[in-house]
């Protein structure tokens, strides 16, 4: 149990002293960037899904005559 406590203490020390945290402005701009790319990527996936759905529906209509 002492090993776990020591690990947690060292982890917090590492986060506090050795990690270079972004400024508030950098964090906000990166968050907006991630949100924009997530929306663009989800729209691209939606578009591909819609096209494939229509192609598959057309294929099955063509097969069944």
């Amino acid at each position: 149990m002492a090993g776990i406590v020591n690990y947690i203490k060292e982890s917090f020390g590492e986060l506090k002293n050795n990690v270079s945290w972004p400024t508030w402005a950098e964090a906000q701009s990166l968050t907006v960037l991630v949100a924009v790319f997530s929306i663009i990527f989800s729209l691209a996936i939606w578009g591909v899904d819609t096209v494939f759905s229509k192609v598959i529906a057309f294929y099955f209509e063509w097969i069944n005559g």
Side-chain angles (χ1 to χ4, degrees):
M1 187 65 168
I4 294 173
V5 172
N6 189 35
Y7 173 77
I8 292 172
K9 284 181 182 178
E10 288 178 1
S11 296
F12 277 112
E14 190 81 20
L15 287 171
K16 185 177 177 184
N17 299 320
N18 297 337
V19 174
S20 61
W21 296 97
T23 64
W24 182 247
E26 286 176 327
Q28 285 179 324
S29 66
L30 290 174
T31 300
V32 169
L33 185 68
V34 168
V36 167
F37 275 104
S38 295
I39 290 169
I40 291 170
F41 192 66
S42 66
L43 289 173
I45 291 174
W46 172 75
V48 169
D49 182 57
T50 301
V51 169
F52 281 153
S53 174
K54 293 195 184 295
V55 167
I56 291 172
F58 175 76
Y59 175 73
F60 280 116
E61 285 179 21
W62 180 67
I63 286 179
N64 292 330

